Amino acid sequence: MLQIGLTIAWSSPYLAYLTAPESHISITMNEASWVTSLLNLGRLIGAITGSAAVNYLGSKTTVLVTSFPMAVCWVLTIVANRVEWLYAARSLAGVSLGMTYSSFSIYLGEIADPTIRGALVVLAVSGLTIGNLMISIMGAYLTMEVSAIACLLLCVVVMVIFTWLPESPHHLIKTKQQDKARLALLWYHRNCDVDMELQGLKKFIEMNNNLPFMSILGEFKNAHISKALLLVIVLFMYSMLCGLNSIIFYMEIILTTAQVTVIQPAIVVIIVTASGIASSFVSMFFIEKFGRRILMISSSLACAISVACLGLQFQLLDVGYDSAVLQGLPIFSMILFQISIFVGMLPVPNAVLGEIFPPHVKCVAACFNSIATGIFSFIATATYQPLIDLLTEKYVFFGYALILLTAIPYTILCLPETKGKSLQQIQEELTKKS
């Protein structure tokens, strides 16, 4: 997730450089929009391949495989001397992004004890903020080629770590490797009753594990599974349409347009991403203490306030207020947005995705969700610059705020609380409720 964070936030410092006159690859704002949008177009391909890989290779091996297209992305970035190289690099990074979101939450859901499962997903998602911070610092002080080399080395580290980790017990039981599943359970749950967990896991998986693909698709006719899919897709829709990618991709450009001069915009980006790291670690404790629903509601409200404040900044500039007086407002807005996003809007949907589906439909559900998320993300990033040109910044950010406010009643009415429950308990409750 740290390397995903590097990839997502790469656009903020380096698009500002690439669109500047001194760039060694001079690109237009229209080309810059494609550099950001192709990340999400590649994500659609990654969503499909990642879900297929989870089904046949297992969730842990799929997470390992995500590093290969990412490594090629950084190689292409190092050698890029034309914008087409960047198009290819960002598309491959999108493939890795789609594969990651199709696999990492499933992997964590399969290996984690119910009492720490939510916190573990939040810990993983905090890698996004650390990656954002690292690339923001590198973007302020290092050339594009040097930072890409550093990111490539990280891919090697991930490959080494995930080669060493055992596959999830779920996949090993599914593929009839009971001895390896026993060892994996001992590795992931050091003090558990292995025989009891193994038998419970076997019963849980074997109930529906032998269904052919068309029968699995037919399972989505069941009310509790179709509702779970719709729930997760809508949660991820809010995280994409709230302006997340647009703000992260264009953060330095937004701050420059907002006439922030009291602090250099590149330094503000570093401060903002550092605040996200702090909120991620706070969220680790909150998600198990207060549950998924409270975090999602509070995060949605705070995000709406932050983007509304950003819209207010541009509204005040338009009516002639002195930019020197207003400089604290966009900085506050960016910091509040980053904190609130990583408290709930990002970790909660990922935690729910790994918890709410029965094992025999998880891969297909993750595929559908990742495709839908990729589409929402592509729409959000591809329309950002045209909407700015058409409506100006203030109306775009006010629009994001209105979308976010609708997430609050949706969460109250539709999101079940899964805190502290085993995957088996969650399925039993959803089936009874349906």
Side-chain angles (χ1 to χ4, degrees), residues 182-199:
R182 179 183 292 274
L183 293 173
L185 274 171
L186 277 172
W187 199 93
Y188 286 117
H189 298 186
R190 302 300 168 91
N191 300 315
C192 71
D193 184 333
V194 180
D195 291 326
M196 187 176 74
E197 285 215 19
L198 195 63
Q199 290 305 314

Side-chain angles (χ1 to χ4, degrees), residues 121-175:
V121 173
V122 174
L123 177 62
V125 172
S126 70
L128 284 173
T129 60
I130 299 171
N132 291 169
L133 178 61
M134 287 174 62
I135 200 67
S136 300
I137 295 171
M138 287 192 283
Y141 300 105
L142 300 178
T143 64
M144 194 168 74
E145 294 82 0
V146 173
S147 67
I149 291 170
C151 295
L152 178 60
L153 293 175
L154 178 66
C155 289
V156 176
V157 172
V158 174
M159 292 174 191
V160 171
I161 291 174
F162 272 84
T163 302
W164 165 69
L165 286 171
E167 183 55 79
S168 80
H170 284 67
H171 181 71
L172 293 170
I173 290 176
K174 178 182 172 183
T175 53

Side-chain angles (χ1 to χ4, degrees), residues 83-125:
V83 71
E84 289 78 9
W85 289 100
L86 296 178
Y87 289 163
R90 299 298 284 172
S91 298
L92 283 169
V95 171
S96 181
L97 178 65
M99 292 182 72
T100 299
Y101 277 101
S102 292
S103 57
F104 99 93
S105 59
I106 291 177
Y107 172 60
L108 294 180
E110 290 176 348
I111 67 168
D113 185 277
T115 59
I116 63 162
R117 188 173 55 237
L120 195 60
V121 173
V122 174
L123 177 62
V125 172

Side-chain angles (χ1 to χ4, degrees), residues 20-324:
E22 66 270 15
S23 169
H24 71 289
I25 314 173
S26 184
I27 67 173
T28 65
M29 284 303 295
N30 185 53
E31 289 171 330
S33 178
W34 275 106
V35 169
T36 60
S37 300
L38 284 171
L39 179 74
N40 294 303
L41 207 56
R43 181 175 183 165
L44 298 177
I45 301 170
I48 298 169
T49 56
S51 298
V54 169
N55 190 47
Y56 292 105
L57 302 177
S59 55
K60 170 256 171 179
T61 303
T62 303
V63 176
L64 167 63
V65 171
T66 61
S67 289
F68 290 95
M70 187 67 78
V72 179
C73 155
W74 296 123
V75 171
L76 293 177
T77 305
I78 293 166
V79 302
N81 56 10
R82 292 168 56 89
V83 71
E84 289 78 9
W85 289 100
L86 296 178
Y87 289 163
R90 299 298 284 172
S91 298
L92 283 169
V95 171
S96 181
L97 178 65
M99 292 182 72
T100 299
Y101 277 101
S102 292
S103 57
F104 99 93
S105 59
I106 291 177
Y107 172 60
L108 294 180
E110 290 176 348
I111 67 168
D113 185 277
T115 59
I116 63 162
R117 188 173 55 237
L120 195 60
V121 173
V122 174
L123 177 62
V125 172
S126 70
L128 284 173
T129 60
I130 299 171
N132 291 169
L133 178 61
M134 287 174 62
I135 200 67
S136 300
I137 295 171
M138 287 192 283
Y141 300 105
L142 300 178
T143 64
M144 194 168 74
E145 294 82 0
V146 173
S147 67
I149 291 170
C151 295
L152 178 60
L153 293 175
L154 178 66
C155 289
V156 176
V157 172
V158 174
M159 292 174 191
V160 171
I161 291 174
F162 272 84
T163 302
W164 165 69
L165 286 171
E167 183 55 79
S168 80
H170 284 67
H171 181 71
L172 293 170
I173 290 176
K174 178 182 172 183
T175 53
K176 311 299 183 185
Q177 301 180 68
Q178 187 160 323
D179 292 339
K180 288 185 178 180
R182 179 183 292 274
L183 293 173
L185 274 171
L186 277 172
W187 199 93
Y188 286 117
H189 298 186
R190 302 300 168 91
N191 300 315
C192 71
D193 184 333
V194 180
D195 291 326
M196 187 176 74
E197 285 215 19
L198 195 63
Q199 290 305 314
L201 200 54
K202 282 177 66 179
K203 184 178 179 181
F204 181 51
I205 291 172
E206 288 172 358
M207 283 174 64
N208 295 294
N209 194 46
N210 296 320
L211 292 174
F213 179 73
M214 293 308 295
S215 297
I216 292 175
L217 287 180
E219 289 287 291
F220 286 90
K221 294 179 182 178
N222 293 334
H224 72 285
I225 295 178
S226 59
K227 287 179 181 178
L229 180 62
L230 180 62
L231 167 70
V232 171
I233 287 175
V234 174
L235 289 177
F236 275 92
M237 179 195 74
Y238 280 119
S239 67
M240 293 299 107
L241 296 184
C242 69
L244 168 64
N245 286 338
S246 303
I247 290 174
I248 290 179
F249 289 169
Y250 293 95
M251 191 180 298
E252 192 168 331
I253 295 173
I254 291 170
L255 289 166
T256 302
T257 309
Q259 301 179 28
V260 173
T261 56
V262 66
I263 306 174
Q264 189 179 348
I267 304 301
V268 177
V269 172
I270 294 171
I271 296 169
V272 169
T273 50
S275 67
I277 295 175
S279 66
S280 294
F281 286 105
V282 169
S283 180
M284 284 176 57
F285 300 99
F286 283 177
I287 198 167
E288 296 302 349
K289 184 175 178 61
F290 299 110
R292 284 58 164 158
R293 298 179 73 194
I294 295 295
L295 249 62
M296 189 69 187
I297 292 166
S298 57
S299 175
S300 301
L301 179 60
C303 282
I305 292 170
S306 66
V307 290
C309 288
L310 206 52
L312 179 61
Q313 165 75 8
F314 288 101
Q315 172 69 41
L316 293 174
L317 288 175
D318 283 351
V319 297
Y321 275 78
D322 184 2
S323 61

